[in-house]
Amino acid sequence: MLLMTITLAQASAVLFDLDGVLVPTVELHKRAWKQLFDEVLPPQVPPYTEQDYYTYVDGKPRYEGVDSLLKSRGMHLPRGSSSDASYVRSVCGLGNRKNEYFEQQLEQQGIEPYPDTVDALRHLLAQGLQLAVVSSSRNAEAVLSAAGIREYFRTVVDGGVGAQEHLQGKPAPDTYAYAAHALGCESAQCVVVEDALSGVAAGRAGDFGLVVGVDRGAGRRALLKAGADLVIEDLVELIEDSVRRARFHQMPRLDTSMYPLDPWSFAQKGEPTPESATLFSVSNGNIGIRAAGDPDRSLGSGTFVSGYHDTFTITHPEGAYGYARVGQLIQGVPDACGFTVRADNLPLPQPEETTQKLDFRTGVTTVYSRYRLRDGAMLNMEIGRMACLFDQDLALCTLRLDCREREVQVEVNGRLNDQIPSKPVSSDPRKSAHVDGCGIHEEQLGKAGHFKQGQMRLYRCNNSRLPLLVAVSQRLEQAGQARELGGEPWQFSVKPGAAVTIERYVAYETFPIEPQGLARGLEVSTVGNDVQELVRSGAAALERAQQAGAESLLIQQSSWLDDFWQRADIRVEPGDDGRIQQIIRWELFQLAQVTAQIPNGVGAKGLSGLGYDGHYFWDTEIYVLPFLIYTDPARARQILHYRYTMLPAAYKRAAALNLAGALYPWRTINGEEASAYFPTGTAQYHIDADIAYAVTQYALTSADKDYLASEGIDILVQTARMWLSLGSYRSDGHFHLQCVTGPDEYTALVDDNFYTNQMARFNLQAAYRAVQQLSREDGESFGRVSKRLRLRAAELQEWVDAAEAMAVPYSKEHKVHAQDAQFMSRPEWDFEHCTARPLLRYYHPLAIYGHKVLKQTDVVLALTLLSSWFSAEEKRLDFDYYDPLTTGDSTLSAASQSVIAAEVGHDDLAQHYFMESLFADVCNLHSNTTDGIHLAAAGGVWSTLVCGFGGLRDTGGTKLELSPRLPQGWKSLSYQVQVKGTRIRVRINQQGTDLERLSGPELELCVDGSLRRV
């Protein structure tokens, strides 16, 4: 019979064993059994051991357990009757004596369920599942009541029911089948959860839909061998998708046999996974190409283009004024980097070997595969994918085939993949949603779609009306000869010793977004709208590529990356096998490729996947921009320019919330607020201060006065105006910000969030100082700015006053800064019993908001960004208080925790959080790598190395200082930064810190409290 395993989501009921699954009565049972057999077994037979418990009695009815153990010792007693007194020397008498011992211990010691039992049961009931207990014990009802969990179960089938109904005990499936029938369910609809081998065997024998083994000592292999479909260690795993983060300390390394060590590349041997498609993706900031690993390369699984998205009307079941009304979804574009190959008129078999490799010095991802054909000949295939870092319009895809044994007839189909993907179903808010009506459709180009150099196709988003032109051409090279390829499929022969290579050039053309929101409807404005302009650009891009050729494009790509690594590489000697250095470069490469070209904003996932719907958040300004400000300030300015062009949309959003100035959207692509859940969306007003912080950090660190006068000042002034209108003075004389949400989304709609207040204070001060600087240094610019922004002297003073009076929540009892005005009065989250992670997926927001529990710690992040505002003792006390309350459910959390932990001397924690951030994606620690790179985590790795271990702090560019904290066990760390036109290299080892000026004028820096001239 073919058994079909179901998932928990498909089940109707869950049938639990009791002892060792829901409650730890196993210890009571073990002691009772030991007490019995120590009394009963004669000295001439082997004494009773703990292994005997698992082998002979665990999971069986009591009398069968007695009989089984006695027979293992060659002993035979009459069965007797269940009414036998405990002193009667019969199987039943001894069984009753064991029960007396158990009841004595239960009465004396009581029993508590396993820490996560209640949490798991509540979640299962909330999913509409029926629950039952199936136990061999006659004490099941008493144990469930003593443990306080009887109410969760509709049916209890215990040893008494089994005897009354004449049911065979485990490993026979009778008791489980009886429970399923009592619940009105078929066995195939039920999940059996067991810790005993006999119970697992019963579940398997009864053809139940899913048999889950709980490893409480029986062993994973033994449970699987007994018939378990799945083995878990804790019940919470029934409701979680993954517990990778919780067990990170057990697996901080990648298997070198699967992921070879190489400081300049990252490779994976074996079948690519959905995570591989993300990890080996390539991008140039305008084009993003996922790697091998997705089931297909349909829309959303292959290629993305910057800013290209569709829109839809957000439907609020209970709407209100000012709610976000236009949703935005990143739109996958037709993919040109997939090839379907047939050999000898047959589909290729499964490859015998596969390796996927991303080279950090060439920016090319290559998939190497070896196929054994029917006659044993080996066909080698190599697919290369590259987004040209030096040319935003171009991508290069190559296919190379060779066979040494014989000639092979090959057919290759390389059609554009514009297939609509299947609708994803997920309750995870981090994943992209599917919205009916969103998507793309093809429009006819007529004769313009066919030209000498290749072929073009025009697409348009259904609602946003954004156009996209895809232009492709390809040529075949073999034995030094080249010819153009047109049409599909392509047929040719691969001869021994003469590899065949197909080079495909792809150009994607669309118009940059005008991120000023939507005036009406769903159509998005762009910089340009003439489709013929796209046609001309596409033709020009293909012509550039064809004239250069693939080899020249690869050389230009390598040259671009040589320049990047020369100024941005971070070298470490951490005393490991080289893996840390390898993954550091993988993270830096992600930052490099996603910011190589910046036609629009930079999304939280870059262009590596559908996660977060492709939206831009505060991540860019706080986690990505510091890297650019200190390594490539020109690109940092480009990103800030996009925020400047978003100001009209920010004015409109502020007006909708009855505020002055500008309020930036919490999540967006086109400038319109796209967050439908305002408590953790629009209420995160701190995004204004985050952008103002980045503006200030860039302007002061790069000394770009032109930017400040032309664009930066507008952002600073308009965000300062927003804060002044949002807050108010109270009778205590302080300026308060009410009903806001900080970066920590587990404490929403609070008063005086510490991070928000402190960053708003910085914002107000920065606006005042910028205006004053312009007034002193550039009177002409100041005049234009004053007129453009209608500045008033009284207004400037209001900023100063509000900043000085800003409320700073503080707990005198704990001697720490309070996360918000209400935080210290809340009860602490039950970390022992409510363990499912991330919390936002498994607990209602109201259950979270009322507790002391953090997704990420706002206070510690404020200490990091505004370092010079706080003493070392304040940082230590704050960190020590908030760290145990932080779940780290956000990938943004670990970086700031590592930075402050390093500063206050918690070296072990600093290294732990660094590793957690470093391996977040490559080890899939948050179970969503398949949705795209966590770009902020990559920026956090740079910040941890440079600002944490490397000791660089600048308080938003206002006070630059170095105080390195090299981790214990590390030999050295070196990095480069550019400050006011001067590039320096910082080298840190156990002996101290060395500074070397590489270019630019002399610079004075404070290092460990002393001034140094470089």
Side-chain angles (χ1 to χ4, degrees):
M1 177 178 178
L2 180 63
L3 299 179
M4 299 298 291
T5 301
I6 64 172
T7 66
L8 191 64
Q10 297 169 317
S12 299
V14 183
L15 315 179
F16 290 93
D17 180 33
L18 175 64
D19 302 335
V21 174
L22 298 171
V23 290
T25 50
V26 63
E27 292 302 323
L28 302 183
H29 282 293
K30 282 182 178 179
R31 287 195 289 268
W33 282 115
K34 181 172 175 33
Q35 185 176 353
L36 172 70
F37 288 122
D38 283 351
E39 294 173 354
V40 170
L41 294 180
Q44 63 267 27
V45 303
Y48 178 80
T49 67
E50 183 172 351
Q51 185 56 47
D52 287 328
Y53 172 82
Y54 292 108
T55 304
Y56 300 109
V57 302
D58 184 25
K60 297 179 181 179
R62 189 188 324 139
Y63 301 146
E64 291 182 21
V66 172
D67 191 49
S68 178
L69 188 285
L70 293 178
K71 286 180 178 178
S72 75
R73 300 308 197 263
M75 300 173 63
H76 299 274
L77 291 179
R79 180 171 180 83
S81 167
S82 61
S83 61
D84 284 357
S86 61
Y87 57 79
V88 174
R89 195 169 176 79
S90 66
V91 168
C92 291
L94 295 183
N96 292 341
R97 190 192 310 180
K98 180 267 176 184
N99 193 52
E100 288 182 359
Y101 294 155
F102 175 82
E103 289 176 343
Q104 291 170 9
Q105 295 194 48
L106 182 63
E107 182 177 354
Q108 294 168 3
Q109 301 180 26
I111 192 70
E112 292 288 334
Y114 284 105
D116 60 353
T117 294
V118 172
D119 194 32
L121 296 178
R122 286 175 176 170
H123 276 87
L124 295 173
L125 284 176
Q127 294 175 29
L129 291 165
Q130 299 186 77
L131 307 183
V133 167
V134 179
S135 173
S136 302
S137 171
R138 291 175 180 260
N139 300 300
E141 290 280 3
V143 171
L144 288 170
S145 296
I149 57 175
R150 177 62 181 86
E151 64 186 283
Y152 296 106
F153 300 97
R154 182 174 171 183
T155 296
V156 175
V157 179
D158 62 7
V161 173
Q164 180 180 333
E165 299 295 332
H166 305 292
L167 303 175
Q168 280 190 276
K170 306 169 187 177
D174 300 27
T175 51
Y176 276 116
Y178 184 88
H181 179 74
L183 294 176
C185 299
E186 298 291 334
S187 295
Q189 299 174 300
C190 296
V191 177
V192 169
V193 184
E194 265 281 1
D195 73 312
L197 300 180
S198 59
V200 168
R204 185 77 292 135
D207 294 340
F208 287 88
L210 180 67
V211 179
V212 179
V214 184
D215 186 4
R216 306 285 197 195
R220 177 181 178 81
R221 289 184 179 179
L223 289 167
L224 290 172
K225 185 177 180 181
D229 299 303
L230 171 71
V231 175
I232 61 177
E233 294 182 13
D234 300 295
L235 290 183
V236 71
E237 295 177 58
L238 289 173
I239 57 176
E240 281 189 331
D241 287 340
S242 173
V243 288
R244 287 186 175 87
R245 280 204 74 265
R247 298 180 186 168
F248 171 74
H249 63 281
Q250 300 176 6
M251 43 89 62
R253 294 286 186 269
L254 294 167
D255 184 349
T256 55
S257 65
M258 182 177 294
Y259 300 93
L261 291 165
D262 183 339
W264 288 105
S265 70
F266 183 62
Q268 177 188 29
K269 295 182 177 180
E271 183 80 14
T273 65
E275 290 77 28
S276 308
T278 293
L279 297 177
F280 296 91
S281 62
V282 292
S283 175
N284 65 2
N286 185 52
I287 302 169
I289 305 171
R290 284 174 66 81
D294 286 327
D296 56 44
R297 302 189 65 82
S298 60
L299 297 175
S301 296
T303 301
F304 302 95
V305 170
S306 174
Y308 198 69
H309 69 286
D310 208 359
T311 52
F312 62 95
T313 299
I314 299 175
T315 302
H316 299 278
E318 298 182 20
Y321 176 79
Y323 277 17
R325 66 177 185 85
V326 179
Q328 300 149 56
L329 295 173
I330 186 173
Q331 174 59 56
V333 302
D335 179 74
C337 291
F339 300 97
T340 301
V341 178
R342 294 171 62 88
D344 298 329
N345 204 32
L346 294 171
L348 291 179
Q350 284 293 108
E352 290 196 353
E353 299 175 26
T354 300
T355 299
Q356 189 160 209
K357 177 180 177 181
L358 172 61
D359 192 310
F360 308 148
R361 289 185 288 197
T362 65
V364 177
T365 282
T366 308
V367 185
Y368 307 88
S369 301
R370 287 171 55 81
Y371 299 89
R372 186 175 299 279
L373 304 182
R374 285 194 170 184
D375 62 354
M378 298 299 298
L379 180 67
N380 302 310
M381 182 167 73
E382 179 182 311
I383 297 177
R385 300 182 175 103
M386 179 182 88
C388 296
L389 297 166
F390 53 89
D391 190 324
Q392 77 170 30
D393 299 329
L394 277 177
L396 171 67
C397 304
T398 60
L399 170 68
R400 184 180 185 277
L401 298 165
D402 76 82
C403 181
R404 297 181 180 180
E405 291 89 346
R406 64 172 177 83
E407 182 174 340
V408 180
Q409 300 300 316
V410 171
E411 178 181 285
V412 177
N413 191 322
R415 67 171 180 81
L416 283 180
N417 193 329
D418 57 4
Q419 297 299 301
I420 299 173
S422 59
K423 297 181 181 181
V425 177
S426 175
S427 61
D428 191 339
R430 301 168 298 178
K431 293 183 178 291
S432 180
H434 175 88
V435 178
D436 288 335
C438 286
I440 62 172
H441 59 272
E442 186 173 1
E443 294 187 351
Q444 296 302 312
L445 271 175
K447 294 182 178 179
H450 298 271
F451 62 112
K452 185 177 180 181
Q453 293 88 351
Q455 183 178 4
M456 293 183 179
R457 293 170 73 173
L458 178 68
Y459 296 86
R460 195 178 293 274
C461 282
N462 295 346
N463 302 319
S464 68
R465 304 298 298 162
L466 293 175
L468 173 79
L469 183 118
V470 186
V472 296
S473 68
Q474 50 275 320
R475 64 184 179 187
L476 181 146
E477 289 192 359
Q478 185 176 31
Q481 301 295 315
R483 62 183 173 89
E484 300 298 319
L485 289 176
E488 294 166 359
W490 309 308
Q491 296 177 339
F492 50 86
S493 62
V494 178
K495 299 179 179 178
V500 177
T501 300
I502 295 175
E503 297 171 354
R504 166 171 273 187
Y505 308 105
V506 190
Y508 289 95
E509 303 291 343
T510 190
F511 297 112
I513 298 294
E514 281 189 336
Q516 299 176 6
L518 279 62
R520 60 184 61 84
L522 297 174
E523 191 167 341
V524 175
S525 298
T526 57
V527 182
N529 54 24
D530 183 359
V531 169
Q532 291 307 310
E533 184 179 340
L534 298 181
V535 171
R536 290 189 292 270
S537 296
L542 285 188
E543 186 175 354
R544 291 196 303 274
Q546 291 168 334
Q547 289 181 352
E551 185 175 349
S552 176
L553 296 180
L554 290 167
I555 291 173
Q556 291 180 69
Q557 182 93 335
S558 297
S559 177
W560 192 99
L561 283 166
D562 286 345
D563 177 68
F564 168 78
W565 292 116
Q566 185 177 12
R567 56 184 163 77
D569 191 20
I570 296 178
R571 297 175 181 268
V572 298
E573 292 182 284
D576 71 333
D577 57 5
R579 181 71 78 192
I580 291 176
Q581 178 70 80
Q582 179 190 36
I583 305 304
I584 286 173
R585 288 202 174 110
W586 182 88
E587 302 279 8
L588 294 175
F589 180 80
Q590 304 309 318
L591 294 169
Q593 65 174 355
V594 83
T595 58
Q597 305 289 331
I598 308 172
N600 297 291
V602 177
K605 297 290 187 181
L607 295 170
S608 61
L610 291 167
Y612 297 118
D613 296 329
H615 292 169
Y616 316 152
F617 297 79
W618 69 307
D619 308 32
T620 303
E621 282 74 25
I622 296 300
Y623 291 92
V624 176
L625 265 176
F627 160 76
L628 290 175
I629 287 169
Y630 281 100
T631 63
D632 197 342
R635 284 187 168 83
R637 177 169 175 167
Q638 286 181 263
I639 290 178
L640 289 172
H641 172 72
Y642 193 73
R643 287 296 196 184
Y644 171 75
T645 61
M646 202 179 285
L647 271 173
Y651 298 149
K652 185 176 74 169
R653 189 62 180 155
L657 272 75
N658 200 32
L659 297 170
L663 176 60
Y664 280 93
W666 173 242
R667 57 189 300 170
T668 190
I669 299 176
N670 56 40
E672 197 78 20
E673 176 63 80
S675 176
Y677 186 63
F678 73 85
T680 55
T682 298
Q684 297 206 49
Y685 299 95
H686 66 83
I687 190 169
D688 265 25
D690 302 328
I691 294 170
Y693 181 94
V695 166
T696 306
Q697 187 180 43
Y698 166 75
L700 296 180
T701 303
S702 65
D704 189 344
K705 296 180 181 179
D706 173 69
Y707 167 77
L708 186 63
S710 62
E711 296 184 2
I713 193 68
D714 293 62
I715 293 176
L716 293 175
V717 168
Q718 298 294 6
T719 52
R721 287 172 171 166
M722 190 283 295
W723 291 117
L724 205 62
S725 66
L726 177 67
S728 61
Y729 289 92
R730 292 188 195 164
S731 57
D732 61 3
H734 289 297
F735 189 77
H736 296 269
L737 299 173
Q738 295 88 14
C739 204
V740 303
T741 301
D744 171 40
E745 296 175 355
Y746 290 171
T747 47
L749 302 180
V750 299
D751 296 338
D752 292 324
N753 170 261
F754 182 81
Y755 176 90
T756 302
N757 283 28
Q758 294 290 60
M759 291 293 282
R761 178 186 172 203
F762 179 94
N763 192 163
L764 291 163
Q765 291 177 344
Y768 174 79
R769 290 170 181 165
V771 172
Q772 293 296 95
Q773 179 183 338
L774 274 181
S775 176
R776 291 192 310 269
E777 300 177 2
D778 189 346
E780 184 178 345
S781 293
F782 175 71
R784 290 195 299 268
V785 167
S786 296
K787 184 177 180 180
R788 182 171 75 243
L789 299 176
R790 297 179 178 84
L791 291 173
R792 298 176 293 105
E795 179 182 30
L796 271 62
Q797 188 59 47
E798 288 173 346
W799 299 344
V800 174
D801 293 343
E804 291 179 352
M806 187 67 68
V808 180
Y810 188 80
S811 171
K812 293 182 179 179
E813 178 185 354
H814 298 94
K815 297 180 180 179
V816 298
H817 294 103
Q819 172 144 312
D820 56 68
Q822 295 87 21
F823 189 81
M824 292 301 179
S825 65
R826 298 190 183 102
E828 188 173 304
W829 181 261
D830 189 347
F831 287 97
E832 180 182 3
H833 299 102
C834 298
T835 60
R837 297 292 182 271
L839 296 189
L840 80 164
R841 289 206 61 200
Y842 302 105
Y843 303 95
H844 193 282
L846 291 176
I848 299 171
Y849 295 165
H851 291 85
K852 287 181 182 176
V853 62
L854 309 175
K855 185 179 182 185
Q856 61 191 70
T857 169
D858 289 0
V859 173
V860 171
L861 181 57
L863 302 179
T864 302
L865 299 179
L866 305 171
S867 178
S868 65
W869 290 13
F870 307 99
S871 68
E873 181 66 3
E874 286 178 312
K875 293 175 182 177
R876 184 185 66 79
L877 291 171
D878 284 351
F879 179 88
D880 289 348
Y881 182 81
Y882 287 104
D883 192 63
L885 301 175
T886 306
T887 63
D889 287 349
S890 169
T891 56
L892 308 181
S893 183
S896 58
Q897 288 175 280
S898 180
V899 169
I900 297 300
E903 183 175 355
V904 302
H906 297 326
D907 182 75
D908 288 347
L909 279 175
Q911 293 199 53
H912 169 80
Y913 287 129
F914 166 67
M915 294 289 281
E916 189 173 296
S917 188
L918 184 68
F919 286 90
D921 281 323
V922 295
C923 284
N924 196 22
L925 298 184
H926 289 255
S927 304
N928 62 349
T929 295
T930 183
D931 302 321
I933 297 296
H934 289 92
L935 195 59
V941 168
W942 182 89
S943 293
T944 300
L945 290 166
V946 173
C947 305
F949 303 151
L952 185 148
R953 304 296 177 79
D954 70 357
T955 310
T958 62
K959 186 176 181 180
L960 181 63
E961 51 190 346
L962 284 174
S963 185
R965 297 288 191 273
L966 191 67
Q968 293 180 17
W970 286 37
K971 292 182 179 179
S972 68
L973 162 67
S974 68
Y975 61 88
Q976 293 182 39
V977 291
Q978 182 173 321
V979 179
K980 297 179 179 178
T982 298
R983 182 167 293 280
I984 62 172
R985 177 182 287 117
V986 181
R987 292 192 182 93
I988 305 160
N989 56 34
Q990 296 296 342
Q991 286 70 49
T993 303
D994 177 64
L995 305 180
E996 178 185 1
R997 179 164 54 90
L998 303 176
S999 63
E1002 288 187 353
L1003 185 69
E1004 193 171 67
L1005 287 176
C1006 179
V1007 182
D1008 292 325
S1010 301
L1011 289 177
R1012 285 198 207 176
R1013 184 167 291 278
V1014 186

